[in-house]
Amino acid sequence: MKKTFAITAIALAASATATGSFAQNYPAPNKNITFVVPFAAGGPTDRVARDLAEAMRKPLNATIVIENLGGAGSSIGTAKVANANPDGYTLLVNHIGMSTMPTLYRKLSFDVLKDFEFLGIVNDVPMTVIGRPNLPANNFAELRELINKDKENINLGHSGLGSAGHLCGLMFQSALNVPMTPVPYKGAAPAITDLMGGTIDLMCDQTTNTTSQIEAKKVKAYGVTTLEPLKVPALKDLPTLDSQGLKNFNVTIWHGLYAPKGTPPEVLKTINEALKVAVKDPDFIKKQEGLGAIVVNDQRVEPEEHKKFVAKEIATWGEVIKANGQFAD
């Protein structure tokens, strides 16, 4: 069931230049812009989208609302944007799923590289491997020993096929060369709830979704998926998986902004300029860093580089998915 939440009821005035650009390039400047999030409310991508909407409403001088339309590994919400009126009022905020859906799903109603306008990458989000609070392993070495000894009984939860947790879990199992029992959920929130309650054993999920639980010691944390330790206070002492024996283990989930194919160039330019303002907004950066996310400060914020990056990611993740033989109908 979709939910629509207003980020703000009243648009605030931006600079005269931004306001003029918005009014000139949008046919109805008083109409709300909708960010479609193809996941449930309260999840990590939803949090990123809400922070981004808040940061972009000022330069756009517009009200931005969030529409959560989850299901089928983000393909339902993504398809809605692919088929939306290309006027700039319906945009998509999605994560790495844009690069995995082409391989995971045998039939899609859209082509990622052909049916969207690429507006820029927003952030990179590291992952953490976490376990239930009563799991009898207090560090990664003990966890690895436990998995090898009792692999038939160890399960690995994730927030659905094609989710960030699912993809990280595939990489984690491949790196260990040990298959575990997958336990899919309809979102990250119920999965983490069951992990904290001891129903499932392990998860690999985004720092935007795990940092507060780790800080509160509601779960056990075994490692981060980046090659360098994180600077977030709650995670700065958590070792990388690479440093603990899983050499070159590096999984980062990114989020990007998209418009339907055919959106007018002048509208795309306006949105991209607002995005560039947002990723330099100190409040946005602070909120993202507090969750362990790294706001983009490279060329991927440019539409052309964004598209090249996604094309490369489609090839990379396609190999991982095919190697594990996990496909949707």
mmCIF file of all heavy atoms in Angstrom, residues 128-151:
data_model
loop_
_atom_site.group_PDB
_atom_site.id
_atom_site.type_symbol
_atom_site.label_atom_id
_atom_site.label_comp_id
_atom_site.label_asym_id
_atom_site.label_seq_id
_atom_site.Cartn_x
_atom_site.Cartn_y
_atom_site.Cartn_z
ATOM 1 N N THR A 128 27.135 -2.974 7.056
ATOM 2 C CA THR A 128 27.682 -3.612 8.254
ATOM 3 C C THR A 128 27.115 -5.021 8.368
ATOM 4 O O THR A 128 25.948 -5.256 8.046
ATOM 5 C CB THR A 128 27.314 -2.832 9.534
ATOM 6 O OG1 THR A 128 25.904 -2.601 9.552
ATOM 7 C CG2 THR A 128 28.044 -1.509 9.607
ATOM 8 N N VAL A 129 27.932 -5.944 8.810
ATOM 9 C CA VAL A 129 27.463 -7.295 9.127
ATOM 10 C C VAL A 129 27.119 -7.309 10.605
ATOM 11 O O VAL A 129 27.967 -7.011 11.458
ATOM 12 C CB VAL A 129 28.532 -8.354 8.815
ATOM 13 C CG1 VAL A 129 28.077 -9.737 9.310
ATOM 14 C CG2 VAL A 129 28.799 -8.413 7.319
ATOM 15 N N ILE A 130 25.860 -7.603 10.906
ATOM 16 C CA ILE A 130 25.387 -7.583 12.289
ATOM 17 C C ILE A 130 24.697 -8.906 12.625
ATOM 18 O O ILE A 130 24.230 -9.628 11.742
ATOM 19 C CB ILE A 130 24.422 -6.411 12.543
ATOM 20 C CG1 ILE A 130 23.251 -6.446 11.548
ATOM 21 C CG2 ILE A 130 25.156 -5.083 12.440
ATOM 22 C CD1 ILE A 130 22.201 -5.359 11.787
ATOM 23 N N GLY A 131 24.640 -9.201 13.917
ATOM 24 C CA GLY A 131 24.028 -10.449 14.371
ATOM 25 C C GLY A 131 23.077 -10.223 15.534
ATOM 26 O O GLY A 131 23.087 -9.156 16.167
ATOM 27 N N ARG A 132 22.271 -11.231 15.815
ATOM 28 C CA ARG A 132 21.346 -11.137 16.956
ATOM 29 C C ARG A 132 22.151 -10.964 18.243
ATOM 30 O O ARG A 132 23.296 -11.431 18.348
ATOM 31 C CB ARG A 132 20.440 -12.361 17.030
ATOM 32 C CG ARG A 132 21.141 -13.716 17.081
ATOM 33 C CD ARG A 132 20.116 -14.842 17.080
ATOM 34 N NE ARG A 132 20.721 -16.147 16.829
ATOM 35 C CZ ARG A 132 21.239 -16.950 17.752
ATOM 36 N NH1 ARG A 132 21.237 -16.566 19.035
ATOM 37 N NH2 ARG A 132 21.743 -18.125 17.432
ATOM 38 N N PRO A 133 21.584 -10.291 19.238
ATOM 39 C CA PRO A 133 22.343 -9.960 20.453
ATOM 40 C C PRO A 133 22.820 -11.170 21.244
ATOM 41 O O PRO A 133 23.810 -11.079 21.976
ATOM 42 C CB PRO A 133 21.361 -9.109 21.266
ATOM 43 C CG PRO A 133 20.020 -9.411 20.703
ATOM 44 C CD PRO A 133 20.232 -9.716 19.266
ATOM 45 N N ASN A 134 22.145 -12.315 21.111
ATOM 46 C CA ASN A 134 22.556 -13.511 21.852
ATOM 47 C C ASN A 134 23.291 -14.522 20.975
ATOM 48 O O ASN A 134 23.421 -15.692 21.348
ATOM 49 C CB ASN A 134 21.345 -14.164 22.523
ATOM 50 C CG ASN A 134 20.263 -14.554 21.523
ATOM 51 O OD1 ASN A 134 20.291 -14.126 20.364
ATOM 52 N ND2 ASN A 134 19.299 -15.364 21.962
ATOM 53 N N LEU A 135 23.778 -14.091 19.814
ATOM 54 C CA LEU A 135 24.547 -14.995 18.965
ATOM 55 C C LEU A 135 25.872 -15.314 19.666
ATOM 56 O O LEU A 135 26.566 -14.397 20.125
ATOM 57 C CB LEU A 135 24.821 -14.339 17.611
ATOM 58 C CG LEU A 135 25.341 -15.250 16.496
ATOM 59 C CD1 LEU A 135 24.274 -16.267 16.083
ATOM 60 C CD2 LEU A 135 25.760 -14.426 15.290
ATOM 61 N N PRO A 136 26.247 -16.596 19.774
ATOM 62 C CA PRO A 136 27.461 -16.967 20.512
ATOM 63 C C PRO A 136 28.747 -16.711 19.734
ATOM 64 O O PRO A 136 29.552 -17.620 19.519
ATOM 65 C CB PRO A 136 27.245 -18.462 20.775
ATOM 66 C CG PRO A 136 26.409 -18.924 19.650
ATOM 67 C CD PRO A 136 25.486 -17.771 19.329
ATOM 68 N N ALA A 137 28.938 -15.483 19.303
ATOM 69 C CA ALA A 137 30.163 -15.069 18.616
ATOM 70 C C ALA A 137 30.334 -13.588 18.895
ATOM 71 O O ALA A 137 29.454 -12.790 18.584
ATOM 72 C CB ALA A 137 30.063 -15.328 17.119
ATOM 73 N N ASN A 138 31.447 -13.225 19.499
ATOM 74 C CA ASN A 138 31.650 -11.852 19.943
ATOM 75 C C ASN A 138 32.543 -11.030 19.029
ATOM 76 O O ASN A 138 32.706 -9.831 19.241
ATOM 77 C CB ASN A 138 32.220 -11.842 21.366
ATOM 78 C CG ASN A 138 31.241 -12.437 22.368
ATOM 79 O OD1 ASN A 138 30.075 -12.057 22.394
ATOM 80 N ND2 ASN A 138 31.711 -13.383 23.173
ATOM 81 N N ASN A 139 33.123 -11.661 18.011
ATOM 82 C CA ASN A 139 33.938 -10.953 17.036
ATOM 83 C C ASN A 139 33.884 -11.722 15.723
ATOM 84 O O ASN A 139 33.300 -12.814 15.651
ATOM 85 C CB ASN A 139 35.379 -10.774 17.532
ATOM 86 C CG ASN A 139 36.006 -12.099 17.942
ATOM 87 O OD1 ASN A 139 36.013 -13.056 17.174
ATOM 88 N ND2 ASN A 139 36.522 -12.155 19.163
ATOM 89 N N PHE A 140 34.501 -11.162 14.693
ATOM 90 C CA PHE A 140 34.381 -11.791 13.379
ATOM 91 C C PHE A 140 35.058 -13.150 13.318
ATOM 92 O O PHE A 140 34.558 -14.074 12.670
ATOM 93 C CB PHE A 140 34.938 -10.878 12.288
ATOM 94 C CG PHE A 140 34.807 -11.473 10.915
ATOM 95 C CD1 PHE A 140 33.554 -11.585 10.311
ATOM 96 C CD2 PHE A 140 35.919 -11.951 10.231
ATOM 97 C CE1 PHE A 140 33.424 -12.159 9.054
ATOM 98 C CE2 PHE A 140 35.792 -12.519 8.972
ATOM 99 C CZ PHE A 140 34.540 -12.623 8.379
ATOM 100 N N ALA A 141 36.187 -13.302 13.992
ATOM 101 C CA ALA A 141 36.889 -14.591 13.989
ATOM 102 C C ALA A 141 35.989 -15.677 14.576
ATOM 103 O O ALA A 141 35.894 -16.790 14.035
ATOM 104 C CB ALA A 141 38.192 -14.484 14.778
ATOM 105 N N GLU A 142 35.310 -15.354 15.668
ATOM 106 C CA GLU A 142 34.405 -16.319 16.288
ATOM 107 C C GLU A 142 33.188 -16.559 15.397
ATOM 108 O O GLU A 142 32.682 -17.688 15.326
ATOM 109 C CB GLU A 142 33.964 -15.813 17.661
ATOM 110 C CG GLU A 142 35.090 -15.786 18.687
ATOM 111 C CD GLU A 142 34.629 -15.280 20.051
ATOM 112 O OE1 GLU A 142 33.420 -15.016 20.217
ATOM 113 O OE2 GLU A 142 35.484 -15.151 20.949
ATOM 114 N N LEU A 143 32.726 -15.512 14.728
ATOM 115 C CA LEU A 143 31.591 -15.677 13.827
ATOM 116 C C LEU A 143 31.944 -16.601 12.677
ATOM 117 O O LEU A 143 31.157 -17.486 12.311
ATOM 118 C CB LEU A 143 31.155 -14.314 13.280
ATOM 119 C CG LEU A 143 30.023 -14.346 12.242
ATOM 120 C CD1 LEU A 143 28.735 -14.878 12.862
ATOM 121 C CD2 LEU A 143 29.791 -12.958 11.647
ATOM 122 N N ARG A 144 33.104 -16.409 12.099
ATOM 123 C CA ARG A 144 33.531 -17.255 10.982
ATOM 124 C C ARG A 144 33.637 -18.712 11.406
ATOM 125 O O ARG A 144 33.218 -19.626 10.682
ATOM 126 C CB ARG A 144 34.873 -16.742 10.456
ATOM 127 C CG ARG A 144 35.278 -17.312 9.117
ATOM 128 C CD ARG A 144 36.443 -16.544 8.530
ATOM 129 N NE ARG A 144 36.683 -16.949 7.153
ATOM 130 C CZ ARG A 144 37.560 -16.359 6.361
ATOM 131 N NH1 ARG A 144 38.277 -15.326 6.809
ATOM 132 N NH2 ARG A 144 37.726 -16.770 5.124
ATOM 133 N N GLU A 145 34.156 -18.926 12.594
ATOM 134 C CA GLU A 145 34.265 -20.290 13.123
ATOM 135 C C GLU A 145 32.877 -20.894 13.334
ATOM 136 O O GLU A 145 32.639 -22.068 13.002
ATOM 137 C CB GLU A 145 35.033 -20.263 14.441
ATOM 138 C CG GLU A 145 35.248 -21.641 15.054
ATOM 139 C CD GLU A 145 36.038 -21.579 16.352
ATOM 140 O OE1 GLU A 145 36.557 -20.495 16.694
ATOM 141 O OE2 GLU A 145 36.118 -22.619 17.039
ATOM 142 N N LEU A 146 31.965 -20.093 13.866
ATOM 143 C CA LEU A 146 30.595 -20.566 14.104
ATOM 144 C C LEU A 146 29.906 -20.926 12.796
ATOM 145 O O LEU A 146 29.245 -21.970 12.701
ATOM 146 C CB LEU A 146 29.801 -19.476 14.836
ATOM 147 C CG LEU A 146 28.315 -19.764 15.082
ATOM 148 C CD1 LEU A 146 28.146 -20.931 16.040
ATOM 149 C CD2 LEU A 146 27.619 -18.509 15.625
ATOM 150 N N ILE A 147 30.070 -20.092 11.785
ATOM 151 C CA ILE A 147 29.436 -20.342 10.490
ATOM 152 C C ILE A 147 29.984 -21.617 9.860
ATOM 153 O O ILE A 147 29.226 -22.443 9.337
ATOM 154 C CB ILE A 147 29.642 -19.141 9.552
ATOM 155 C CG1 ILE A 147 28.833 -17.932 10.044
ATOM 156 C CG2 ILE A 147 29.220 -19.496 8.127
ATOM 157 C CD1 ILE A 147 29.126 -16.654 9.292
ATOM 158 N N ASN A 148 31.284 -21.775 9.901
ATOM 159 C CA ASN A 148 31.897 -22.973 9.302
ATOM 160 C C ASN A 148 31.472 -24.249 10.025
ATOM 161 O O ASN A 148 31.308 -25.305 9.400
ATOM 162 C CB ASN A 148 33.426 -22.851 9.336
ATOM 163 C CG ASN A 148 33.949 -21.870 8.313
ATOM 164 O OD1 ASN A 148 33.368 -21.716 7.243
ATOM 165 N ND2 ASN A 148 35.039 -21.179 8.630
ATOM 166 N N LYS A 149 31.281 -24.150 11.328
ATOM 167 C CA LYS A 149 30.941 -25.326 12.120
ATOM 168 C C LYS A 149 29.453 -25.662 12.075
ATOM 169 O O LYS A 149 29.063 -26.826 12.119
ATOM 170 C CB LYS A 149 31.374 -25.098 13.575
ATOM 171 C CG LYS A 149 31.119 -26.279 14.502
ATOM 172 C CD LYS A 149 31.829 -26.088 15.844
ATOM 173 C CE LYS A 149 31.383 -24.818 16.539
ATOM 174 N NZ LYS A 149 32.029 -24.679 17.891
ATOM 175 N N ASP A 150 28.620 -24.638 11.934
ATOM 176 C CA ASP A 150 27.173 -24.852 12.043
ATOM 177 C C ASP A 150 26.418 -24.196 10.889
ATOM 178 O O ASP A 150 25.332 -23.654 11.062
ATOM 179 C CB ASP A 150 26.690 -24.277 13.387
ATOM 180 C CG ASP A 150 25.345 -24.843 13.807
ATOM 181 O OD1 ASP A 150 24.984 -25.951 13.354
ATOM 182 O OD2 ASP A 150 24.641 -24.166 14.581
ATOM 183 N N LYS A 151 26.999 -24.256 9.684
ATOM 184 C CA LYS A 151 26.434 -23.531 8.544
ATOM 185 C C LYS A 151 25.008 -23.952 8.193
ATOM 186 O O LYS A 151 24.220 -23.150 7.697
ATOM 187 C CB LYS A 151 27.335 -23.687 7.324
ATOM 188 C CG LYS A 151 27.619 -25.126 6.928
ATOM 189 C CD LYS A 151 28.684 -25.165 5.848
ATOM 190 C CE LYS A 151 29.077 -26.598 5.515
ATOM 191 N NZ LYS A 151 30.211 -26.651 4.573
#
